[in-house]
Amino acid sequence: MQQYLQLCQRIIDEGVWIENQRTGKKCLTVVNADLSYDVAKNQFPIITTRKSFWKAAIAELLGYLRGYDSAADFRALGTKSWDANANENAAWLNNPVRKGVDDMGRVYGVQGRSWRRPDGSTLDQLQKIVTNLSQDIDDRGEILTFYNPGEFELGCLRPCMHTHTFSLLGDTLYLTSYQRSCDVPLGLNFNQIQVFTLLALMAQITGKTPGMAYHKIVNAHIYEDQVDLMRDVQLQREPFDPPQLRINPEIRSLKDIETWVSLEDFAVEGYRHHDPIAYPFSV
């Protein structure tokens, strides 16, 4: 929580105004932010200075791990986070490859579970990683990436959190996640929760002990219509102690995640928070 607040304050104090072409808005921006989360100690990195909708963040992660390409599938899991980008993004609505309502195209989990090779066959990056780690193999290339520049035009949004690298030291599993762009008031806590939960889940299904998760952000920004709420409201609140994440111990395989796992298999214990803050969302 303190890392989050320190980054927010840094953007307010040191940020440079940059015009964002996609949204037509200005952003107060800094470059390079490094956060870390102790998954071994189960220090769940959830915001307490406003209400955080952690269930939607975990639902979105589950959709990525399943390779979903429809906002409807994400809604069925418990999150509406892809509704706007799938159905309100003007450039995507005019893209001839769009299949219709709720179609997201080849974004995020589609790349992770079905990366297209030049010969037309596909590669399941996630399955390779799970298989290797379960067999105590770390080839220094246990990398899950959603960033495929050759197919950007085939999806509604370039990935923001784009690459996850897993590292095995003995029996301890580590994660380093890379993010090119981050809407700090709205997106960052989603991302923090997902990085933490991804390492916890991957350690559990591969029989490893979770270690540290490292979260690297290149461009961290606050949109012009979010600055006042961040500076004058959220940064004035005192944080509460972090809660703990509980994951159903019966989740033992990637197949489990693909088939029956739902939000009922996750719980956050001891979550105290301030009132919600209605930050504007930029499509």
Side-chain angles (χ1 to χ4, degrees):
M1 182 66 213
Q2 289 299 331
Q3 296 177 91
Y4 175 88
L5 295 176
Q6 288 166 6
L7 175 56
C8 293
Q9 190 65 58
R10 177 189 162 201
I11 296 172
I12 295 294
D13 293 341
E14 304 173 13
V16 175
W17 285 109
I18 300 296
E19 185 80 25
N20 181 256
Q21 184 178 12
R22 180 177 65 87
T23 62
K25 296 180 181 180
K26 292 189 301 180
C27 300
L28 203 54
T29 305
V30 300
V31 171
N32 190 43
D34 288 286
L35 300 90
S36 59
Y37 319 121
D38 194 335
V39 184
K41 293 182 179 178
N42 200 0
Q43 296 177 346
F44 194 48
I46 192 170
I47 290 174
T48 62
T49 48
R50 67 167 174 83
K51 184 178 182 180
S52 178
F53 298 94
W54 63 268
K55 289 186 177 181
I58 292 179
E60 186 177 59
L61 174 63
L62 291 176
Y64 293 160
L65 297 180
R66 292 178 178 180
Y68 284 167
D69 66 357
S70 170
D73 289 332
F74 281 90
R75 286 197 301 274
L77 278 174
T79 179
K80 297 180 179 180
S81 57
W82 279 95
D83 286 6
N85 281 309
N87 298 307
E88 299 175 23
N89 181 331
W92 179 238
L93 293 177
N94 294 321
N95 192 319
V97 304
R98 183 173 181 265
K99 299 174 184 177
V101 176
D102 287 328
D103 180 40
M104 297 159 48
R106 292 186 56 78
V107 297
Y108 282 87
V110 176
Q111 300 292 347
R113 301 305 308 270
S114 188
W115 182 282
R116 200 146 50 194
R117 294 187 176 100
D119 65 2
S121 63
T122 58
L123 169 68
D124 188 337
Q125 299 179 62
L126 183 59
Q127 183 63 70
K128 175 261 185 186
I129 295 168
V130 170
T131 299
N132 278 5
L133 296 178
S134 298
Q135 297 174 1
D136 300 323
I137 297 170
D138 177 1
D139 65 6
R140 292 182 286 188
E142 306 303 340
I143 299 172
L144 175 68
T145 185
F146 306 143
Y147 205 78
N148 186 350
E151 294 194 343
F152 282 165
E153 75 281 4
L154 302 182
C156 64
L157 184 71
R158 290 181 299 166
C160 296
M161 177 83 71
H162 60 81
T163 300
H164 304 278
T165 300
F166 295 91
S167 302
L168 194 58
L169 296 181
D171 193 49
T172 303
L173 185 64
Y174 297 83
L175 173 62
T176 305
S177 296
Y178 303 87
Q179 187 165 357
R180 66 170 180 86
S181 174
C182 183
D183 176 341
V184 171
L186 279 179
L188 180 52
N189 199 223
F190 250 56
N191 303 134
Q192 292 177 292
I193 288 168
Q194 289 170 346
V195 170
F196 185 99
T197 306
L198 178 59
L199 177 55
L201 269 178
M202 288 290 284
Q204 184 164 308
I205 68 174
T206 59
K208 300 297 177 283
T209 300
M212 293 295 296
Y214 301 101
H215 185 179
K216 298 182 174 292
I217 303 169
V218 176
N219 183 300
H221 51 267
I222 300 174
Y223 281 97
E224 57 185 322
D225 52 8
Q226 301 171 331
V227 169
D228 289 349
L229 285 171
M230 174 59 72
R231 182 190 57 230
D232 301 333
V233 181
Q234 188 163 358
L235 284 174
Q236 302 307 312
R237 296 173 171 178
E238 287 295 321
F240 296 109
D241 291 335
Q244 292 195 322
L245 175 67
R246 301 299 181 195
I247 300 176
N248 183 350
E250 296 302 314
I251 303 173
R252 287 298 173 190
S253 68
L254 182 55
K255 189 71 173 177
D256 291 341
I257 293 172
E258 293 169 337
T259 54
W260 59 264
V261 173
S262 73
L263 289 180
E264 298 301 316
D265 297 296
F266 301 86
V268 175
E269 297 179 352
Y271 182 33
R272 298 175 62 205
H273 57 79
H274 291 268
D275 292 338
I277 299 176
Y279 282 110
F281 174 67
S282 299
V283 178

